[in-house]
Amino acid sequence: MEQSWVPDLNRQVIILLVTIRDFALYNGVYGSEITDRIETELSKAVREVVDEVLPEHRTRALPSEPGEYIIAWDCSGNSQPDPADLTYAVKVRLQSALKKTMLQWTGIGMEVGVGYSLTGTNEAGDVLELPAALAEARRMASLPLELRNTRIAAEFEDILNNGRIRSSYQPILDLRKGEVHGWEALARGPRNSRLESPLMLFELAEPLGSLFRLEQLCRERAVSGLGPMDHHQKIFLNIHPKTLADPLFTPGNTLELLERQGLSPENVVFEITERQSVQDFGLFYKTLAHYRSQGFLVAVDDVGAGYSGLSAIAELQPEYIKLDKSLIHDIHRDPVKRALAETITSFADKIGSRIIAEGIENRDQAICLMDIGVHCGQGYYLGRPSRQKRNAHNNWDELKSIAQISHKMVTCSIPVGEVVEAPHAIAPDTLVSFAQDFFKRNNQFSSLVVTENDSPIGLVTEYYLNRQLSSQYGVALYYKREVTSVMDDNPLIVDAAMPVEQAARLAMDRDAMKAYDEVIVVRRGKLFGTVSVQKLLDTLAKVQVEMAKGTNPLTGLPGNVAIEQELEARMQRAEQFCIIYADLDNFKVYNDSYGFRNGDRIIKLCADIITWATRKHGPSDALACHIGGDDFVVITSNQAVERTCRSIRRCFQRAVRGCYTEEDRKSGWIKARGRDGLEREYPLVSVSMGVLEVVAPCSLMEVGERAAHIKKYAKSMPGNSVAMDRRPPLGSAEIECVEG
């Protein structure tokens, strides 16, 4: 600032003038209706900022010109603010508060000018020399702020010099898989200081020429405090486009930090906000391509709040697209927002990106986004930022059940364990020369699994091995070394119970160099077999052919297509009907102990019993369906529900005993390891049935949500059980009243 300030304790007043630059131009282009709205927002934002910055000082508004807001601060007393610091704090907060409003109404950005002058008051409290004070404030508002000699700049420099940056981590959840996909690292200044907010930190860093230093410090704090992560999980680091294109910005420091944490560039996502401008697009894209070639990933932030088109995002081809929280707010009530989210999600699928919805604050928003097909979610409802990296909030457990049920209603496959081939395992100390000789003598094998204590730790592929050995010094470097020197130490490993289509999707999501490497299949963590991508795709194609015919390939019952068509037809006819959701208990334990063939035997037994009971007790249009795995659905009339469920329960309880050995039948339980790896006694397989009623049209996600609740309640009962949903039926007026 040009003007020096000496405090005067005798009724001193700071005149603060806020102006929207080019306001007259906006008025001419957009008209008075828009500019009146902008002025209203300006007045509201100034009052909010004043209350935040100077809550203990007396303030009053003064008459102003169009596009201006003038306020007088009586700063007499012991606590006297630095006007230059206050001016900058107000400018930063107003710029942020008004930016989204301007983008929404005009499609362009805006610049706020802030100036101040010093004066006093007479005995009556009137401001002295007001015209001269306003003229000085207007002059200063038209000039760039000079920050270097301000207190706030000194505080900022102290933060950088002493590394006083804190990191917290907010979970990002995969809404389709039901697991934590990664964490966003959020930077904060010193606690309870005026630079605690990242907005103030980064807005101050750019004019002071310290943007690179600040972001480097934030990255160091974020990575060093991260802790262990699974190899597929990500850490999202916010980064300014100008920093990315800065010649001083190199990934060297970040790579060293990652290496110390046992991570790789594939674990790091550079998050670039859509609203920040890039001056040299050519340099920016060239620099970005360089870092992506090293394995780093890219996310575009704030999509839906800014003004850049989808074509610019398509050109950038980010791995992630983050939807701004303004688009997520009330998305479950706003059909326009929902349609826009659906469009962007479809767009992302076509360019190979993933959508992350930010600002999820309640259950309704989360379920709506899951229904749309959004890939990932982030927000207070799913998990708040914390100093220690945490998993999702407890709310996620319920959503996970809904997602799993809804997913089963639209997919069908068999376990990948049923299509595996016998593997050939070798020890970690096996020599490379042995591996090469093995491939020459055994044409049927294209890979070797490296195991330790029967658990896979790596994969040696014939293609990659020959590539290494055929290099200039390959034989000399590797031939007499252990295979661990040439193995892939991060191969794709899946559980034998994973559906074929999920394993195929994971396989094809890998890097191009590894897309067709064999997939390692484990059972209880031990090597079970391997399967080629071609085998997965062939199996999946056969399953899809069967599904297209409307039948499940294992039981011959109608599948997901038939369920969707039947539900839609009944709702269009305004019929009232019931849905029985049947699920087997302790089935995974049985499958692991007795094998997949016997597991299929129980599934077919259950299918036969459900089909018999549906035909015996239900009307002619009742439908028994198999939606995949050990889950079944019956669509029938209200009158037939109780008799159908009673018959299924009694008959299955008797018949399933024939699927066990005599010893297990007598004891009434089997000893096996659960999902937690602990061995315990498990009851015999039983069937749990949840019943819900539909009286009016509703979405598949609504059915899945209600089914998750009633299924969970049914499975909480011991043995073969039936749980009737006693809440108002789906689509009823009572539901609308409660949810509205």
Side-chain angles (χ1 to χ4, degrees), residues 633-648:
V633 163
V634 176
I635 303 173
T636 188
S637 65
N638 303 33
Q639 296 78 14
V641 162
E642 291 192 19
R643 295 193 305 274
T644 303
C645 291
R646 189 185 310 118
S647 294
I648 294 172

Side-chain angles (χ1 to χ4, degrees), residues 498-573:
M498 178 180 287
V500 164
E501 71 269 17
Q502 186 177 348
R505 184 167 58 249
L506 292 175
M508 299 309 294
D509 280 345
R510 294 179 292 183
D511 295 338
M513 289 293 295
K514 298 169 62 173
Y516 289 94
D517 288 358
E518 287 190 311
V519 178
I520 300 175
V521 181
V522 296
R523 186 175 175 187
R524 301 176 191 164
K526 305 297 183 181
L527 179 62
F528 186 66
T530 60
V531 60
S532 67
V533 174
Q534 187 62 52
K535 183 72 172 291
L536 289 174
L537 297 178
D538 288 345
T539 304
L540 185 57
K542 293 177 182 178
V543 170
Q544 290 174 335
V545 168
E546 293 297 325
M547 290 178 63
K549 296 177 183 178
T551 59
N552 184 282
L554 177 62
T555 61
L557 289 178
N560 299 284
V561 174
I563 294 174
E564 293 180 17
Q565 291 176 345
E566 183 69 15
L567 290 175
E568 183 177 354
R570 288 178 182 255
M571 290 178 187
Q572 286 179 349
R573 295 195 299 266

Side-chain angles (χ1 to χ4, degrees), residues 422-488:
H424 191 91
I426 56 176
D429 58 358
T430 303
L431 297 181
V432 170
S433 57
F434 173 86
Q436 186 188 40
D437 184 60
F438 176 86
F439 287 131
K440 288 180 179 178
R441 291 184 289 103
N442 297 274
N443 294 330
Q444 72 272 29
F445 288 95
S446 61
S447 65
L448 293 167
V449 183
V450 184
T451 61
E452 198 167 52
N453 298 323
D454 296 329
S455 295
I457 62 171
L459 184 72
V460 178
T461 62
E462 182 180 14
Y463 166 77
Y464 184 74
L465 177 62
N466 289 336
R467 183 181 174 190
Q468 293 289 89
L469 294 177
S470 62
S471 61
Q472 185 174 4
Y473 302 106
V475 173
L477 286 173
Y478 297 108
Y479 202 65
K480 293 302 181 181
R481 296 178 64 184
E482 297 178 352
V483 292
T484 52
S485 63
V486 295
M487 75 177 185
D488 175 8

